[in-house]
Amino acid sequence: YKKAIKYLRELNRAYQEHLNFVMQKQSLKHEAELTVVLDELDGMKEQYQRNLPASNVLTDSFIGFGATHKEILSTALKAAQHPNASVLITGETGTGKDVLANLIHQNSIRRDALFLPVNMAAISENLMESMFFGHKKGAFTGANQDNKGMFLEANKGSIYLDEISDLPLSLQAKLLRALETGKVTPVGSSKEVPFDTRVICSSNRDLPAMVENGSFRRDLYYRLNTITIHLPPLRDRLQDLEALVLHFARKLSTEMNKKVPQIDQSFYRALRTHSFPGNIRELRNIIEHLVIMHDAELWRDDCLGDLKLKGRSRREKRFSFDTQADEREKSAIIQALQSCHGKQKEAARLLGMSEPTLTRRIKKYKLGIYTRKNAMTQG
């Protein structure tokens, strides 16, 4: 009896080992077959995208009919046909960079996967790496479970890095490596994980100037701007104003269960005198205010009386995202000089630029009073 039990156990163990071997072999076979089918599906999706008629593209969210609008839309749709190419969208705050990024995603073969917008300015610097590339449980205090990160979360889809110029220098090299290798390394792990995510970036600052002053990596800039699309401010594309007003009036009135107003030409004439420092976002807020506060079926110029619209002065026309970048650079230099007690060599190292470049910037912004040399002369 004991021998019988022994042989039965050995026979059962041998059977289980054989069963595991067969199952593993079958699993590998099915996995290979599934890979072939998925590859064929990706090819069919790509072919379907190429054969779509022009009238089927999803462009309703990007409003306008001027020559500039048509050129931007044409470039965006061409970019959408190349789902692995990085796109850089530039322009002032409120010009609709996020809308254009989403349009590119929705018109690509990645449309069925996730479009993940990321506001760079809203993420704490010490959490950026973990949020981008993920982390392992216990990698740092508070890491109570594994996190795959945004690049893997948007796998097969698109990730939109809004205001990429806010990315710290310490992370720029890691982002560049991830984009070049197609792999990320979670915090607390030594294993690289592959991803397939399209990267679309935006910036309201002058990135070439940041490259020159050393606050943005040159190699990363070239990697991100395979295709560059610039969105001009609303004051420079007023031919789209009427279309935008009608779009927002219809959309917001419908959402609030109110009758869509008729709009008089005097209303448009009044709006055209405004400089729109907040661009399309500001225009939307104006229309939303009127939909809520005015019950008139016809909007005239007098509807805008309580909004205190400002005229378009020459100074406002010249003010652009280049000027905003200069102000930020000036502020950064002042802070660096103050923290280094006016020592230009140390300040240049802190800013990541050469000392001659810093000297030129100090001269350009007239910041000599913050330097040690000037302080010693006054003393």
Side-chain angles (χ1 to χ4, degrees), residues 33-66:
E33 291 174 350
L34 181 60
T35 301
V36 172
V37 172
L38 290 175
D39 288 342
E40 290 178 355
L41 179 61
D42 288 340
M44 291 175 65
K45 282 185 177 181
E46 190 170 352
Q47 184 177 3
Y48 171 74
Q49 174 68 23
R50 286 197 299 266
N51 294 333
L52 274 177
S55 59
N56 283 351
V57 293
L58 308 173
T59 59
D60 292 344
S61 58
F62 190 61
I63 307 301
F65 55 81

Side-chain angles (χ1 to χ4, degrees), residues 343-346 348-349 353-360:
K343 297 177 182 178
Q344 290 182 221
K345 188 173 182 179
E346 293 183 10
R349 188 181 301 113
M353 65 175 68
S354 66
E355 192 172 354
T357 299
L358 177 58
T359 301
R360 288 194 296 271

Side-chain angles (χ1 to χ4, degrees), residues 242-257:
E242 289 192 26
L244 287 164
V245 169
L246 288 171
H247 168 72
F248 290 134
R250 289 168 181 163
K251 182 175 185 293
L252 295 169
S253 297
T254 302
E255 289 176 359
M256 298 178 193
N257 293 318

Side-chain angles (χ1 to χ4, degrees), residues 197-221:
T197 307
R198 184 194 199 142
V199 177
I200 305 174
C201 301
S202 73
S203 177
N204 67 352
R205 299 174 64 183
D206 188 347
L207 284 178
M210 294 181 66
V211 169
E212 291 303 316
N213 67 33
S215 56
F216 200 87
R217 290 181 64 106
R218 187 181 300 273
D219 45 8
L220 178 59
Y221 171 70

Side-chain angles (χ1 to χ4, degrees), residues 247-361:
H247 168 72
F248 290 134
R250 289 168 181 163
K251 182 175 185 293
L252 295 169
S253 297
T254 302
E255 289 176 359
M256 298 178 193
N257 293 318
K258 300 189 74 172
K259 187 175 181 180
V260 179
Q262 298 295 314
I263 302 176
D264 188 73
Q265 284 300 315
S266 64
F267 183 88
Y268 294 121
R269 285 196 294 270
L271 278 182
R272 288 192 184 94
T273 66
H274 184 46
S275 60
F276 287 104
N279 292 295
I280 297 174
R281 185 177 294 131
E282 180 185 0
L283 175 63
R284 186 190 188 282
N285 289 342
I286 290 173
I287 302 304
E288 185 173 12
H289 170 84
L290 293 174
V291 170
I292 294 171
M293 301 303 297
H294 287 265
D295 295 323
E297 294 184 2
L298 179 64
W299 287 0
R300 301 180 185 274
D301 56 350
D302 54 1
C303 293
L304 298 166
D306 58 339
L307 293 176
K308 300 178 182 179
L309 301 182
K310 296 180 180 179
R312 302 175 68 204
S313 69
R314 290 183 179 179
R315 183 177 181 274
E316 286 174 317
K317 287 181 184 179
R318 291 197 306 268
F319 190 80
S320 67
F321 69 98
D322 295 334
T323 308
Q324 295 174 22
D326 284 349
E327 288 299 320
R328 290 191 183 94
E329 184 180 60
K330 179 180 176 181
S331 176
I333 292 173
I334 292 174
Q335 292 179 22
L337 287 170
Q338 288 177 335
S339 64
C340 296
H341 306 289
K343 297 177 182 178
Q344 290 182 221
K345 188 173 182 179
E346 293 183 10
R349 188 181 301 113
L350 184 64
L351 291 164
M353 65 175 68
S354 66
E355 192 172 354
T357 299
L358 177 58
T359 301
R360 288 194 296 271
R361 295 291 191 277

